[in-house]
Amino acid sequence: MRQINKAAVLGAGVMGATIAAHLANAGVDVVLLDIVPRELTEEEKAKGLTLNDKVVRDRIARNGLENVKKIKPAAFYLKEFANQIDVGNFEDDMHKISDCDWVIEVVVENMDIKKKLLTEKVVPNFKKGAILSTNTSGLSVNEMAEVLPDEIKKNFLVTHFFNPPRYMRLMEIVPSKYTDPGVVKFMADFISKRLGKGIVYAKDTPNFIGNRIGVYVIYSAFKHLNDLNMTVEEADVAAGPAIGMPKTAIFRLADLVGIDTIVHIGNNSYSLLKDDEEREIYKVPEFLSKMVEKGLLGNKAKQGFYKKEKTAEGRKTYFYDYKIGEYKEATKPKFPSTQTAKQIDDVATRIKTVVTGKDKAAEFAWRLLRDSLIYTFNRIPEIADDIVNVDNAMKWGYNWELGPFEVFDAIGVKYFVERAEKEGKQIPEKLKKIEKFYKVENGKKYYYDILTGDYKEVPVDEKTINLSLLKNAGKIVDSNKGASLIDLGDGVYCLEFHSKMNSISGDILSMTKKAIKYVEENGVGLVIANQGKAFSVGANLAMLAVAIAEGAFDDIHMMVKAFQDTAMTIKYSKIPVVAAPFQMALGGGCEFCLHADARVAHAETYMGLVEIGVGLLPAGGGTKEMAIRAIKLAEKYNTDVSPFVFKNFMNIAMAKVSMGAYELYNLGYLSDGDAIVMNIDNLIYDAKMKVLDLAQNYRPKKPLTNLKAPGRSVAASIKTQLWNMKKGNFITEYEEYLGSVIADVITGGDVNAGTLITEEYLLKLERDAFVKLCSQKKTIERIQHMLKKGKPLRN
């Protein structure tokens, strides 16, 4: 059976080194190689080194690895994963690829250089039966394949990672005409499961799928910017989240990619796409060439379409006025269409609202989408055989909320065709006959096959559970405004949150209790999961702010008690409960996870107890749980409880949030029996499997008694350190006070060390402290600041 345990990455630039890092994240051993330097650095000369010294000869690959260790956002899940990467050079270490299962070429985008490396270095050292791939972003895989021996040809393909590889989900796979279909399937399965990528099958055409459409959108924006006499700032307001595109929109994206790179891609596209009906759009505008001449290259030069400067009044943002070639202060323009869109959560409704608006931003958004969607429609079957691959490419590679054909459906295909025709646009005949590109029937999703004119079922991996399709199939057992209980089959049910950002309200608390009662009577276990943008950002802060403003402290006490009771219902249910966090799992979202029997987390999970940021402490059982975990660890190892308490205290007092799921073990939020999943599509399935495993021999637990309180002496030790931190100006006076309140709760209150306490007693301490903090002026200021600005206030 084929396996990939060791890989070689040839090329240690940013892309090569970050690909190597992500392979290491997946537990693959990696050899990272690059060229031998042609000259010594001043530092090497000072050390008396020569070009023959191995340390010099490996310098480029070693520097590539060292740079990627420092890169932000982090390329490695944990810093120690870098130890799985061995560096070397093309001259001395090419023999190391002979025991690699996968070799990835990531050198400069030049066909001659790639061919030379493959024929002269790779082929003589290649392991029989191994897989060879190129990370090219658009060069011909067939042309490269021609220089390879027949035995290697069948195992050669494009595996195009998007940058940065850890975070960008898209993986474009492009086989050559020689590639063995079995190799394509194996690589798709491996890359999907082990590297967490979304697989898209592209064809051997310039820029493949993602960049072919993405670059067209950027160049189309240049045209409409000029035609509508708009500023880049106005255009970005129109072409960002308002129409389901990321905040980078068009011109911030260009700054991110690099203006010189955008020019290079435009020139390249123009020269290669000789038969493209929109070829002229790729002619680089004069203002863009002038920006490159001036060194306005985007983020890497700290100036492009935007730049930031520190002034006496604070940090200011400027945008580039391409007509006069100068910067102007940003004005944060507002338009009725985009302001209305901000209030709409549903992305399809948002897009329709904007493009049917009557202002300049609406017109820009419409023209941009109109031309881009027609262009995309015309690319089938040139760049892909079906619309699903194209939509996934744009969602996973460019962070669009909807793919182009989903946007067609959002606008309405009939409306789109009629309006575009009125404006004199040439509409493909096939497009005129289509009503919708996607439809859902009886829990199955179908796409329109442009080539056959029929609807076909969207391919789904057997390990993918789609909650919206299950709901369509009538699998909802119970539901309210905030949550639903869904039947996953095999006696396992899913508690799904569906409030805004999945913030936890009374609806979710009541449905959690109902769900657990139902499953205890009718099933074998429960998964707490959803498929929103985040697992949960915590309790509903706005509702708390209203209660504080009204002085309803008895109500707040009851709200906190209800949250705690729900957490305890999760912890002491008669059936196993597994939480499946992903993205943000903050505050109350983290507390739900802490009380579950097990956690199956997506690799990109950002979890933490962050309540101190709004002047509070975790009171949904979070502080209590961290106290119990410290006590239990001290008992397990028959040692002093202080270091465990202090560590858990620091998690809460510093509002520590994991920068990925692997950090959760060290924070104490994941345990040995928990699991981490790379592919988010498999998250709920894997959580379901964990429930079934636990259900085999499940033994319900009882609320804890006879816990040995760490006591006031440990609290005093923590308070001494807080005082020192305040004296050193590391924390404010109020932060010292907040820390002391948390210290009292996590150590079990004003009691002697070793005093026997109960879990219920800890919950009461937590609850009383929370209500007390709600009445503090500085806590109220923190809450108001968070609601207004979206970031914590340190007062």
Side-chain angles (χ1 to χ4, degrees), residues 455-502:
Y455 282 96
K456 293 182 178 173
E457 193 177 339
V458 175
V460 180
D461 181 82
E462 60 181 16
K463 292 184 178 178
T464 297
I465 292 175
N466 185 309
L467 296 179
S468 65
L469 293 182
L470 286 176
K471 289 194 277 190
N472 178 268
K475 297 293 185 181
I476 297 178
V477 175
D478 200 353
S479 187
N480 64 22
K481 194 177 174 186
S484 297
L485 180 64
I486 303 162
D487 186 351
L488 298 181
D490 301 315
V492 181
Y493 293 80
C494 177
L495 173 67
E496 177 208 30
F497 304 161
H498 44 67
S499 59
K500 190 176 176 95
M501 292 303 284
N502 294 321

Side-chain angles (χ1 to χ4, degrees), residues 254-255 257-260 291-293 295-301 303-304:
D255 277 354
V257 172
I259 310 301
D260 51 342
M291 286 178 75
V292 174
E293 284 171 26
L296 309 180
L297 305 181
N299 292 2
K300 59 190 169 190
Q303 52 181 0

Side-chain angles (χ1 to χ4, degrees), residues 131-147:
I131 288 162
L132 174 63
S133 74
T134 171
N135 186 60
T136 179
S137 56
L139 294 177
S140 172
V141 64
N142 282 301
E143 188 179 334
M144 274 187 246
E146 293 297 345
V147 303

Side-chain angles (χ1 to χ4, degrees), residues 209-219 250 253 394 398 400:
I209 300 175
N211 287 339
R212 180 73 175 274
I213 306 303
V215 171
Y216 177 85
V217 171
I218 292 170
Y219 273 84
I250 303 295
L253 175 63
M394 297 316 294
Y398 278 79
W400 289 18

Side-chain angles (χ1 to χ4, degrees), residues 517-567:
K517 188 171 189 299
Y518 180 89
V519 180
E520 283 177 339
E521 294 170 0
N522 300 282
V524 300
L526 181 71
V527 171
I528 301 176
N530 65 74
Q531 290 170 327
K533 289 183 180 176
F535 177 77
S536 173
V537 294
N540 190 318
L541 195 59
M543 283 174 62
L544 178 64
V546 170
I548 292 172
E550 293 173 352
F553 293 105
D554 286 345
D555 289 350
I556 292 170
H557 192 278
M558 285 168 59
M559 282 163 55
V560 177
K561 180 79 166 67
F563 203 124
Q564 291 180 337
D565 287 349
T566 304

Side-chain angles (χ1 to χ4, degrees), residues 702-761:
K702 296 281 185 191
L704 297 168
T705 57
N706 295 327
L707 295 163
K708 292 178 182 174
R712 68 173 76 88
S713 57
V714 178
S717 173
I718 292 171
K719 289 173 187 178
T720 301
Q721 296 205 39
L722 288 169
W723 184 84
N724 287 332
M725 289 172 78
K726 187 194 74 177
K727 285 294 177 188
N729 293 320
F730 295 109
I731 59 173
T732 66
E733 187 175 342
Y734 193 59
E735 284 165 341
E736 181 193 15
Y737 170 71
L738 290 170
S740 68
V741 172
I742 296 165
D744 285 334
V745 176
I746 204 168
T747 56
D750 188 16
V751 296
N752 291 326
T755 301
L756 296 179
I757 58 173
T758 66
E759 192 165 6
E760 194 55 53
Y761 165 80

